Amino acid sequence: MSSSVEVQVVRGGCHHVPYGATALDVLTLEDEKRLADVYAVKVNGVVDDLSVPLRAGASLEFLTRADEETLEILRHDTAHLMAQAVKSLYPETKVSIGPVIRDGFYYDFARDKPFTPEDLERIEARMHELVAEDYAIERLEVDRDEARRVFTDADEPYKVEILESIPEDESLRLYRQGDFIDLCRGPHFQSTGRVGGAFKLMKVAGAYWRGDSSREMLQRIYGTAWFDGKALRGYLERLREAAKRDHREMGKVMDLFHFQPEAPGAVFWHDKGWTLFGVLIDYLRQRQKQAGYEEISTPEVIDRSLWESSGHWQTFREHMFTTDTEDGRVFAVKPMNCPGCVQVFRQGTMSYRDLPRRMAEFGKVHRYEPSGALYGLMRVRAFTQDDAHIYCTPEQMEDECCAIVDMLLSVYRDFGFEDVRIKFADRPQVRIGSDEAWTRLEQGLLGALKRMKLDYTHNVGEGAFYGPKLEFVLRDALGRDWQCGTVQVDVNLPARLGAFYVGADGDKHHPVMLHRALFGSLERFIGILLEHYAGVLPLWLAPVQGVVMTITEEANDYAEKVCAAFRSKGVRMALDIRNEKIGYKVREHSVAKVPYFVVVGAEECREGTVAVRSSKKGAEQQSRPLAEAVAALAQEARMPSGVPSQENV
RNA sequence: GCCCCUGUGGCUCAAUUGGUAGAGCGACCGCCUUGUAAGCGGUAGGUUGCAGGUUCAAGUCCUGCCGGGGGCACCA
């Protein structure tokens, strides 16, 4: 009997093909001219190779460059191509894994000698040769024993280890191009020639085998790949643009802060940076006051015994700075504010009627972070948290969580962040407290998210040692994610540190303690802000909101008067009466990202006016009476919540 | 902490195969009195991150430490 199967092409025809026919065969039948445009196929919605044998009733959708999945395959192919090139140039190298990542791919290799930048060039050149040689990429379905034999014979121990960790019931597949064979679930293009030439190897880095720091370190080569040179160049250009908005660079050109070797991971804030810091605190103080918070401040250096009671000494010791004093006591510099806050809560007897109590603290904490983790303002060893602890009854917990999340998202909106990712982190391996308590708290947080109808991702085992948490993540210029806000629920610390309230039943109870931060770290938030705005901060945040510049020295007295007028209305105005041409001054303050220029010359002196313009390129300048200009700018500089911008010039 | 790269005046960068440090900007001093992104001239400023080593000779090569960058791991 003829064993043919019937398949349907999406937006195409229905075909009868012999049993064993492939998607490629169908494509040839369908429209031979499309062969060059089609790279892969979706069979019943699943992306696969064009060489996939078809079953009866299959629905086929051919994928071209226009499909997102195709670009992923291209990058995966490029990773294999790189591994093939590496093996051909450096046969002693062992291969491991090579996945697709955002904008590209990487492949981890084991080799005694490090890959140098010159090696990367050689590898890249070899990759281009392999593309030109256009090897067929063959798909081989094999059983476990055969696969094990292949990689044992090839002396590829990492591949064998991966093989062993794949569940028994899963099928295995190999791909071969030339003499290079890889264990891979695919899919791939039909030949190496289809990869084209728009790829670039970017950097070498160390990476632990299987992400485990107790295992050996492999060499990871990162690359990027695109369908054409234009897309590749565009990507490289985007990287250059992103690097320009690096907050460390902004810190320099805007004169905000610096670091130096004697205090690794600790910020030296300059006047302008500290002004910005102060604006953030002023803003939050207003918001917190409106939301019914108290504000406290607790000691930075506290005796070891308190940290033992709180559990930090047992679980957080390696991250703590300690100090010995001549009386033989051991103190720790606080890595967290919570134990101190509980001490304030414990003063006096609390009634359930006093709850919830919302206690905020702009607490500066120190954590001994691994040296390799330090990164500008984003990851430091000393930072200021906009911390708060809310003590409430179990019944109040969900409402309080909702109020925090609501406030957090509203605050982020005020700063121009609309797209906020939320992660839910549950119990970690190392933790304190009973499993029942953990379950209750995790349910509480999830309940709040559900009520607020918010999407989130689940971070398994990433909670704090004392309780589960919600994390609010913002993204920096280079696409890295940073956790800023957080809400954590905790019933352990109140118990450990003896925090009580007297309930309606007349008995003592431990309150639920919510730990929350909106910015998380003011340092980090400032870093993100700088990158988000490429230094061009909204007026209310700009450390210097405007600068009064003179044309000639005969306007000096008037300029001082003008500057004072702005300052008296709370506008952070600088004065530039240097003996320089106006073009020189304009350029300098443009580079420093000052939002407004106020120019005064002979004419303005005479008329009692000022020439104002925004520093944005091509902005119109406007000549207007001084009082009018002051009122307008003061109005525009107000904080988003309606609170006037602070006066501190 | 681990891997790779890297460290030159305040900043950005030069210095042929190892031959004993240069420029621009900035600063300072003058001149210019200026109308919206760099006016002109002059002066000062560096034991080339630190400590060793190799060499007749080290900014250039080697080792260690410290910092920085890119990753990994860890995390706000």
Side-chain angles (χ1 to χ4, degrees):
Chain A
M1 287 299 292
S2 81
S3 53
S4 76
V5 296
E6 184 183 294
V7 299
Q8 176 69 44
V9 176
V10 174
R11 286 183 301 276
C14 177
H15 301 270
H16 289 270
V17 292
Y19 182 81
T22 66
L24 193 62
D25 296 330
V26 174
L27 179 60
T28 312
L29 274 176
E30 172 94 5
D31 182 359
E32 217 165 323
K33 286 198 285 285
R34 289 187 69 200
L35 282 173
D37 296 332
V38 171
Y39 286 82
V41 65
K42 256 189 193 171
V43 181
N44 301 326
V46 179
V47 186
D48 213 325
D49 305 306
L50 282 174
S51 62
V52 60
L54 299 172
R55 295 188 181 189
S59 154
L60 303 187
E61 188 178 351
F62 291 109
L63 300 179
T64 67
R65 290 183 178 202
D67 298 287
E68 214 170 289
E69 294 93 337
T70 319
L71 187 56
E72 283 199 18
I73 302 174
L74 171 84
R75 288 171 178 159
H76 196 182
D77 278 20
T78 316
H80 276 225
L81 190 67
M82 177 168 79
Q84 185 183 4
V86 166
K87 285 294 285 186
S88 88
L89 290 169
Y90 314 97
E92 74 281 11
T93 307
K94 306 299 172 210
V95 297
S96 66
I97 56 164
V100 172
I101 52 173
R102 184 150 40 114
D103 298 328
F105 61 90
Y106 67 76
Y107 208 116
D108 286 350
F109 301 100
R111 176 174 177 248
D112 289 340
K113 279 179 68 179
F115 290 112
T116 64
E118 294 71 40
D119 290 335
L120 254 53
E121 282 173 32
R122 277 187 72 194
I123 295 166
E124 205 175 293
R126 182 80 188 109
M127 288 166 71
H128 286 290
E129 289 169 17
L130 294 171
V131 169
E133 287 159 22
D134 197 19
Y135 293 97
I137 302 176
E138 294 172 80
R139 153 191 182 140
L140 312 166
E141 306 283 351
V142 295
D143 64 30
R144 188 164 290 259
D145 289 335
E146 196 178 340
R148 190 181 294 114
R149 207 194 62 238
V150 167
F151 291 114
T152 307
D153 289 353
D155 192 20
E156 291 287 4
Y158 297 99
K159 284 294 175 194
V160 175
E161 187 176 333
I162 293 168
L163 199 57
E164 303 301 349
S165 67
I166 297 175
E168 289 289 342
D169 52 347
E170 255 181 60
S171 68
L172 297 176
R173 195 185 290 175
L174 306 183
Y175 281 87
R176 174 165 61 204
Q177 55 198 68
D179 52 9
F180 176 72
I181 296 188
D182 207 345
L183 174 70
C184 179
R185 63 169 77 87
H188 286 286
F189 295 161
Q190 293 302 288
S191 72
T192 59
R194 304 219 68 185
V195 167
F199 53 78
K200 184 173 165 57
L201 303 189
M202 306 295 286
K203 57 199 172 194
V204 208
Y208 295 109
W209 169 231
R210 304 221 131 176
D212 181 346
S213 59
S214 68
R215 302 273 237 136
E216 67 268 40
M217 184 158 269
L218 307 179
Q219 297 189 63
R220 174 172 298 177
I221 302 179
Y222 284 92
T224 186
W226 305 81
F227 270 112
D228 54 68
K230 194 180 162 197
L232 173 62
R233 285 190 298 277
Y235 170 67
L236 296 176
E237 180 58 30
R238 284 202 299 284
L239 282 188
R240 278 192 293 276
E241 286 304 314
K244 275 193 213 155
R245 34 201 316 158
D246 190 316
H247 73 280
R248 294 165 297 186
E249 200 53 35
M250 298 291 103
K252 234 179 257 176
V253 301
M254 296 172 75
D255 189 22
L256 302 175
F257 59 85
H258 82 271
F259 290 90
Q260 63 186 54
E262 292 81 356
V267 189
F268 289 79
W269 286 104
H270 300 8
D271 176 62
K272 288 173 192 158
W274 193 240
T275 298
L276 174 55
F277 200 102
V279 173
L280 295 188
I281 288 184
D282 287 350
Y283 167 82
L284 278 181
R285 283 212 166 106
Q286 295 296 342
R287 295 292 309 246
Q288 286 173 352
K289 232 169 245 168
Q290 289 162 7
Y293 283 71
E294 330 167 29
E295 185 179 323
I296 62 167
S297 177
T298 65
E300 304 202 348
V301 177
I302 302 178
D303 191 275
R304 162 180 177 167
S305 58
L306 184 67
W307 302 111
E308 286 172 348
S309 307
S310 70
H312 286 82
W313 195 263
Q314 295 84 326
T315 52
F316 210 71
R317 175 72 188 87
E318 64 200 31
H319 298 288
M320 291 162 76
F321 286 95
T322 54
T323 164
D324 298 310
T325 49
E326 56 190 52
D327 57 7
R329 297 174 69 178
V330 175
F331 293 86
V333 183
K334 68 175 173 182
M336 295 187 192
N337 302 303
C338 7
C341 181
V342 173
Q343 306 314 306
V344 180
F345 177 85
R346 287 178 65 219
Q347 299 307 112
T349 308
M350 242 5 89
S351 151
Y352 69 95
R353 291 195 190 85
D354 298 316
L355 302 183
R357 265 190 88 178
R358 310 183 185 94
M359 305 171 79
E361 172 171 17
F362 293 100
K364 185 166 187 180
V365 296
H366 289 72
R367 297 182 187 173
Y368 186 77
E369 299 288 347
S371 58
L374 303 182
Y375 176 74
L377 292 176
M378 306 297 201
R379 194 76 187 272
V380 288
R381 284 183 177 156
F383 61 101
T384 309
Q385 295 183 306
D386 58 330
D387 211 352
H389 299 93
I390 293 155
Y391 303 85
C392 61
T393 65
E395 295 71 37
Q396 292 168 331
M397 180 184 120
E398 203 172 301
D399 282 348
E400 288 301 313
C401 282
C402 287
I404 292 167
V405 173
D406 192 48
M407 179 176 177
L408 189 144
L409 295 177
S410 147
V411 165
Y412 283 6
R413 271 196 298 277
D414 278 349
F415 284 87
F417 297 108
E418 302 283 348
D419 172 33
V420 182
R421 263 159 286 244
I422 304 175
K423 294 178 180 171
F424 166 65
D426 60 10
R427 66 193 77 184
Q429 295 269 311
V430 181
R431 60 178 184 266
I432 54 180
S434 72
D435 284 355
E436 300 80 68
W438 274 90
T439 303
R440 210 172 62 236
L441 300 182
E442 286 163 1
Q443 290 312 315
L445 277 185
L446 289 175
L449 281 183
K450 200 171 165 194
R451 246 168 74 186
M452 311 272 305
K453 296 192 175 59
L454 292 168
D455 290 333
Y456 65 92
T457 56
H458 190 172
N459 262 208
V460 179
E462 299 281 315
F465 71 85
Y466 48 76
K469 56 186 178 181
L470 298 181
E471 300 177 340
F472 297 81
V473 174
L474 297 177
R475 185 163 278 185
D476 75 9
L478 290 168
R480 294 141 145 151
D481 286 338
W482 295 99
Q483 180 188 323
C484 290
T486 176
V487 184
Q488 310 172 1
V489 284
D490 175 12
V491 289
N492 295 305
L493 217 48
R496 292 187 74 109
L497 295 177
F500 294 102
Y501 67 95
V502 179
D505 56 5
D507 290 338
K508 282 176 155 187
H509 304 275
H510 295 303
V512 174
M513 184 174 176
L514 301 176
H515 306 240
R516 69 103 256 221
L518 308 181
F519 297 157
S521 145
L522 274 99
E523 286 78 359
R524 172 177 294 180
F525 193 75
I526 287 174
I528 301 226
L529 262 183
L530 290 172
E531 301 200 352
H532 185 69
Y533 287 108
V536 187
L537 296 169
L539 188 63
W540 71 282
L541 288 169
V544 179
Q545 295 170 316
V547 54
V548 178
M549 303 178 242
T550 48
I551 302 287
T552 67
E553 65 189 15
E554 64 181 335
N556 284 3
D557 290 347
Y558 181 62
E560 279 180 34
K561 198 183 126 196
V562 167
C563 189
F566 279 103
R567 287 178 180 174
S568 74
K569 293 294 182 225
V571 178
R572 295 185 290 272
M573 188 62 71
L575 179 63
D576 187 351
I577 54 172
R578 289 176 304 170
N579 181 18
E580 295 289 354
K581 288 203 162 65
I582 194 67
Y584 181 92
K585 295 182 186 180
V586 163
R587 174 170 198 281
E588 200 170 280
H589 297 114
S590 297
V591 169
K593 322 253 183 222
V594 177
Y596 275 103
F597 300 150
V598 178
V599 175
V600 294
E603 189 187 320
E604 286 76 13
C605 292
R606 208 167 49 238
E607 313 280 337
T609 58
V610 289
V612 184
R613 82 160 167 98
S614 149
S615 65
K616 294 199 177 84
K617 267 215 166 104
E620 288 276 311
Q621 68 163 310
Q622 207 179 4
S623 189
R624 59 202 307 196
L626 175 59
E628 198 182 308
V630 168
L633 207 57
Q635 173 65 28
E636 197 190 331
R638 289 164 75 92
M639 283 184 176
S641 55
V643 179
S645 188
Q646 116 255 26
E647 305 180 19
N648 74 334
V649 184

